[in-house]
Amino acid sequence: MSEKPFGSFFLPGPTEVRPEVLAAMSRPMLAHRGKAFEDLFASCQSGLQAIFGTARPVYVGTCSATGFMEAGIRNARPGRVLALVNGQFSERFANIARACGREVDEVRVEYGGGFDLAHVRRALGIRDHALVTVVHSETSTGVLTDVHAVTALAHEHGAMCLIDGVTSVGAMRIDFDASELDYVLTGSQKGLALPPGLAFAVASQRYIDAAAQVEHRGLYFDLVEYERFIQKNQTPNTPAVSLLYALQVQMERILAEGVEARYRRHAAMRDATVKWVGEAARRLGIAMHVLAPEGQRSPTVTTIVLPAVISPKALVSAVAIRGITIGGGLGPLAESTYRIGHMGEHTLDGLGKCLCAVEGALMELTSNPAPSG
Ligand SMILES: *Cc1c(COP(=O)(O)O)cnc(C)c1O
């Protein structure tokens, strides 16, 4: 397979990984119970803590993000769950809770919508909940939820809030400690721009103290064990050492850029994409718009609604012919939307090239619409 230059892969996860980060994975193995490993592991913590905004240790799991979604539920104190559902991944969080034997109530809005906090407050008032699940940046719709406000509401009602930050962590402020969050997780292949295969999570002391009282936490995802091992810069089981090499290099890169600069870069890529959607729709004379409401748009992924005459699949293929990868729509949005992932190491310049390719493809598809039927 021929190698493309950096700046051609705009899938909303996995996202593009810098070549120097990929190269780090070819270092030789080392023993995971030993000083060299502990130094490697410890060297990754300051970057991870800066990203989560915490002085707590950041757990590193050898699993995809879903593993730490499940861990968040399994280790949390017993009781009902209130799941906030507005897309594919928040739906998954609710399903995981049910699969772990929890009673789940939902606050549900249509895919592409944002939550009315008054509805969340009302649902919390109807019955007791031990937990609330919420996705910060819904990768299927590009909608951002104010998870800090949701956590405050949960706390008012005596619940803890589990936050999926897979496409927000590393791309915008999380402020775990300052906002007194309970549990936030992410994966390696989205906002952190690493290959898939690692998950990261922070749990508050209050969460982990409660977890220690939970029966049948299972073994692989026992967060109390993660907490115990991390005191000596180790993981409970054999970690993905090669991915940790990549993590070390990526954390150095992130700290060198500065987390605030990184957040500004992501906000600028979001704004540029939104602006382009409006301008391109006018230039092409088509009804195309950003799905997420203004003020609730993710810095990492934009979901764009196409007019019915253009098939998202045809668009994704036409863009691929131009050497650029973008994402199709997910679930019920598959036939009406496409997604541009502007996360990780992408730049405004690179994004500009991507948008140019998408516009070229749209022009081609609108001048020769596919025969219907
Ligand atoms: C990608 C994604 C996940 C699932 O991640 P896996 O790494 O595939 O387990 C969960 N939540 C959100 C918001 C995502 O974008």
Side-chain angles (χ1 to χ4, degrees):
M1 215 174 98
S2 69
E3 302 236 339
K4 283 187 192 159
F6 187 89
S8 55
F9 195 73
F10 292 84
L11 212 60
T15 194
E16 201 159 347
V17 182
R18 293 289 319 175
E20 57 271 41
V21 174
L22 285 174
M25 293 200 296
S26 63
R27 289 187 218 154
M29 282 306 112
L30 48 74
H32 61 281
R33 303 285 180 232
K35 174 92 170 56
F37 177 81
E38 289 163 11
D39 290 347
L40 167 67
F41 191 89
S43 73
C44 298
Q45 283 290 316
S46 54
L48 288 169
Q49 287 171 322
I51 287 162
F52 279 94
T54 190
R56 292 274 303 144
V58 180
Y59 310 142
V60 180
T62 299
C63 55
S64 80
T66 306
F68 270 5
M69 292 170 87
E70 185 156 337
I73 300 277
R74 287 210 68 161
N75 290 269
R77 59 160 194 240
R80 284 188 94 82
V81 175
L82 181 69
L84 274 52
V85 180
N86 66 338
Q88 188 104 337
F89 294 101
S90 40
E91 191 99 64
R92 179 181 299 183
F93 223 167
N95 288 336
I96 291 170
R98 279 185 279 265
C100 291
R102 300 276 183 157
E103 305 272 7
V104 177
D105 300 312
E106 293 179 352
V107 175
R108 185 175 277 273
V109 298
E110 81 282 10
Y111 278 31
F115 295 101
D116 180 343
L117 289 176
H119 292 167
V120 179
R121 176 179 278 120
R122 191 158 65 231
L124 283 165
I126 292 173
R127 53 204 317 174
D128 281 344
H129 295 96
L131 305 171
V132 173
T133 61
V134 61
V135 172
H136 196 182
S137 159
E138 203 4 295
T139 317
S140 57
T141 63
V143 172
L144 209 54
T145 294
D146 184 349
V147 291
H148 301 95
V150 171
T151 297
L153 278 181
H155 288 177
E156 273 172 37
H157 290 83
M160 287 196 200
C161 185
L162 311 183
I163 300 170
D164 170 339
V166 177
T167 46
S168 64
V169 172
M172 60 186 290
R173 293 179 75 90
I174 301 299
D175 283 339
F176 188 92
D177 290 356
S179 303
E180 300 183 348
L181 305 182
D182 302 303
Y183 183 82
V184 180
L185 73 103
T186 189
S188 49
Q189 79 276 23
K190 311 258 177 100
L192 298 185
L194 287 158
L198 295 178
F200 308 92
V202 180
S204 67
Q205 190 65 52
R206 203 166 69 93
Y207 175 101
I208 210 73
D209 288 347
Q213 307 305 314
V214 171
E215 276 188 90
H216 306 305
R217 296 189 296 275
L219 190 137
Y220 193 67
F221 288 127
D222 182 352
L223 294 179
V224 178
E225 284 295 287
Y226 273 86
E227 178 81 19
R228 195 162 73 80
F229 275 83
I230 212 165
Q231 306 306 326
K232 42 185 180 178
N233 287 308
Q234 289 189 8
T235 54
N237 301 97
T238 311
V241 171
S242 310
L243 286 168
L244 287 172
Y245 292 143
L247 174 65
Q248 184 182 43
V249 172
Q250 181 62 351
M251 287 301 120
E252 283 165 7
R253 294 185 77 267
I254 288 176
L255 290 177
E257 178 181 16
V259 292
E260 293 300 333
R262 189 176 178 84
Y263 302 157
R264 281 194 299 275
R265 177 166 57 79
H266 280 87
M269 290 195 290
R270 182 250 332 270
D271 294 346
T273 306
V274 169
K275 185 158 172 269
W276 169 81
V277 171
E279 291 173 356
R282 266 194 303 281
R283 282 193 290 266
L284 296 163
I286 58 172
M288 175 171 80
H289 65 272
V290 173
L291 179 65
E294 204 179 334
Q296 298 172 57
R297 290 173 177 159
S298 168
T300 56
V301 54
T302 301
T303 299
I304 301 160
V305 182
L306 281 171
V309 289
I310 306 175
S311 138
K313 287 190 182 74
L315 176 62
V316 170
S317 306
V319 173
I321 290 167
R322 290 163 164 82
I324 301 277
T325 304
I326 59 169
L330 288 184
L333 300 171
E335 300 306 322
S336 57
T337 67
Y338 66 103
R339 296 175 306 143
I340 296 177
H342 32 78
M343 67 182 85
E345 299 311 309
H346 285 304
T347 61
L348 269 179
D349 273 0
L351 177 64
K353 293 190 185 98
C354 166
L355 298 177
C356 204
V358 178
E359 190 161 340
L362 281 167
M363 198 180 298
E364 179 188 305
L365 292 174
T366 44
S367 52
N368 319 293
S372 58

